[in-house]
Amino acid sequence: MFRKHQMDSSAEENSIALVADPSIMLIKQTDFEMLKQETTRLKQNISNVFTQDVIEKIAGLSNIEKELEQTQQKLKEKNLEVYHWKSRFEKTQMDCQKERKEKICLQRELQEISQQHNLQSDYFASMGSTYCTALWRVSQNEQAVPKVGDLFQFVSQTLKSYIETYHDDMPAEESTEAQFACSLCGIITNIAASSFGRDVLADNPEGMQVIDTMMSMLIDAPTKGASQMKNLILMSLYNLTINKKGFKYITTKTSILDPLATLLKEECGPELKLHSLLLIQSLITEHDNINFLQSARKLLSTVTLDKLCRSQCSDVRKVAMEIQQDLRLYNEQ
């Protein structure tokens, strides 16, 4: 009895010691059996829950997570790139605004310079027109004809510049620019009106350059807006044909007949037609220049001459009839 009691006391102590161990839990036998049955049931059902499709989806989920991480990384890189380009855009925008302000300042300066240029241009054109008009009047005196080529060179360069500048849009004949150009042509016309002046023009290389420029202006300058200038040019060329050298030089330029024929066909004033006819008449007086006469005959058609012979201007009628008679005599030879 004593030993049994002693053994029971020892087992109780061991039991108490086991319970005191925190890593061990005591449960009832019935609970353990129920847990065991539940575990067995889960093992049996696990194959039904984790099918091959579920396993593949779980694996796919892992791939999706990796792709998501890669996408997040790319998004981060794109955000950095966006930040970079946004910074550049803001800088460019600031530069653009700065340049716009500079452009506005430059435009204002250009406008001021343009206004100053226009004022200076008007002033010098007015001054040149005044002086050239005075020189035009002075050149009517034979003793005042210049004996140097500087004036001829100046006239030639100025007239070339005038045509190049206003070729497609001639200024009004009342404008300062047009009066300036007409004054230069008038000076040459007055010089060519005297025998000494014609000799100066014909013997001077710069004088021949002026003649070439004037013949070019007959071709290049439109009649509208330049009729006064063309009248003066035609008068200069007519005066020059009185000089033997001048006549010989102009008759070598058969291209002059084209603008003359055009003037006769155009609806222009009788003065232009008269001066064109007078120049043609002067150029065909010498029948030795066969090439020039043939060119004149081709360009001056019978229809054109007949129309001019019926002109209301008596001077035009008279000269046209004389030219028609001269061409008939040439054809009979």
Side-chain angles (χ1 to χ4, degrees):
M1 292 289 290
F2 178 77
R3 185 176 295 177
K4 184 177 179 181
H5 177 74
Q6 202 172 29
M7 290 176 61
D8 290 340
S9 176
S10 176
E12 186 176 354
E13 289 176 358
N14 291 334
S15 176
I16 292 171
L18 288 170
V19 173
D21 189 353
S23 63
I24 298 174
M25 180 181 291
L26 294 176
I27 62 174
K28 295 181 181 181
Q29 183 70 29
T30 55
D31 292 337
F32 177 73
E33 291 296 334
M34 289 177 63
L35 181 60
K36 186 177 180 181
Q37 291 175 5
E38 188 68 23
T39 302
T40 304
R41 191 161 43 253
L42 287 173
K43 287 181 179 180
Q44 291 174 353
N45 294 332
I46 196 168
S47 59
N48 296 328
V49 175
F50 290 97
T51 61
Q52 184 66 28
D53 184 51
V54 173
I55 293 171
E56 291 177 355
K57 288 183 178 179
I58 291 173
L61 183 62
S62 177
N63 294 331
I64 291 173
E65 289 177 351
K66 291 180 180 179
E67 291 179 0
L68 180 61
E69 290 178 358
Q70 293 175 356
T71 304
Q72 288 176 342
Q73 182 64 28
K74 290 181 180 179
L75 181 61
K76 185 178 180 181
E77 293 174 357
K78 292 294 181 183
N79 287 334
L80 290 174
E81 188 176 353
V82 168
Y83 176 77
H84 168 72
W85 286 110
K86 184 179 179 181
S87 300
R88 289 193 62 179
F89 169 74
E90 291 175 352
K91 184 178 182 301
T92 305
Q93 195 174 33
M94 291 176 63
D95 293 341
C96 183
Q97 291 176 353
K98 183 180 178 181
E99 290 179 0
R100 187 179 292 111
K101 291 179 181 179
E102 291 177 354
K103 182 180 178 181
I104 291 173
C105 293
L106 289 174
Q107 285 178 339
R108 289 176 181 173
E109 292 178 5
L110 180 62
Q111 188 175 7
E112 292 176 359
I113 293 172
S114 178
Q115 290 176 352
Q116 293 176 2
H117 173 74
N118 290 335
L119 290 173
Q120 291 176 355
S121 178
D122 291 342
Y123 170 75
F124 285 115
S126 177
M127 182 179 67
S129 178
T130 302
Y131 280 113
C132 285
T133 301
L135 184 58
W136 183 0
R137 293 172 181 171
V138 171
S139 64
Q140 293 176 0
N141 183 354
E142 183 175 344
Q143 296 178 352
V145 175
K147 298 183 180 180
V148 293
D150 292 342
L151 175 65
F152 295 149
Q153 192 172 9
F154 170 74
V155 172
S156 179
Q157 292 175 350
T158 305
L159 292 178
K160 282 181 181 178
S161 177
Y162 180 80
I163 291 300
E164 290 173 358
T165 303
Y166 301 109
H167 182 270
D168 297 325
D169 187 18
M170 298 292 288
E173 291 190 318
E174 298 80 12
S175 65
T176 305
E177 294 86 349
Q179 290 299 313
F180 180 35
C182 285
S183 297
L184 294 177
C185 293
I187 292 170
I188 303 302
T189 303
N190 287 337
I191 291 174
S194 67
S195 60
F196 176 71
R198 290 191 288 271
D199 289 338
V200 171
L201 280 168
D203 294 335
N204 196 308
E206 286 82 4
M208 290 293 96
Q209 186 180 2
V210 172
I211 301 305
D212 288 338
T213 301
M214 286 186 161
M215 287 191 287
S216 297
M217 290 182 70
L218 283 179
I219 299 172
D220 298 332
T223 303
K224 185 178 181 181
S227 58
Q228 183 181 4
M229 191 184 307
K230 286 194 173 185
N231 266 323
L232 291 169
I233 292 173
L234 291 170
M235 292 167 65
S236 299
L237 295 176
Y238 173 79
N239 290 338
L240 193 61
T241 58
I242 301 173
N243 181 275
K244 187 175 181 180
K245 287 184 179 179
F247 174 83
K248 186 176 180 180
Y249 182 77
I250 294 176
T251 52
T252 60
K253 309 288 185 178
T254 55
S255 59
I256 193 177
L257 288 170
D258 292 317
L260 294 178
T262 302
L263 287 173
L264 294 176
K265 294 174 184 177
E266 284 182 349
E267 294 297 329
C268 55
E271 191 175 4
L272 267 176
K273 292 184 184 296
L274 176 61
H275 289 145
S276 298
L277 288 170
L278 287 171
L279 179 56
I280 292 172
Q281 185 182 39
S282 180
L283 292 171
I284 64 174
T285 52
E286 296 290 338
H287 291 183
D288 295 338
N289 195 338
I290 298 176
N291 291 332
F292 195 88
L293 286 167
Q294 289 177 344
S295 299
R297 188 182 170 213
K298 289 179 182 178
L299 289 172
L300 298 175
S301 63
T302 305
V303 176
T304 302
L305 285 174
D306 288 343
K307 185 177 179 180
L308 292 170
C309 289
R310 297 192 300 271
S311 174
Q312 295 180 353
C313 178
S314 59
D315 292 333
V316 172
R317 286 200 310 269
K318 178 183 176 183
V319 180
M321 290 177 182
E322 291 174 354
I323 292 175
Q324 196 175 49
Q325 183 64 29
D326 290 340
L327 291 176
R328 284 174 184 168
L329 293 173
Y330 166 72
N331 294 332
E332 292 174 359
Q333 290 180 356

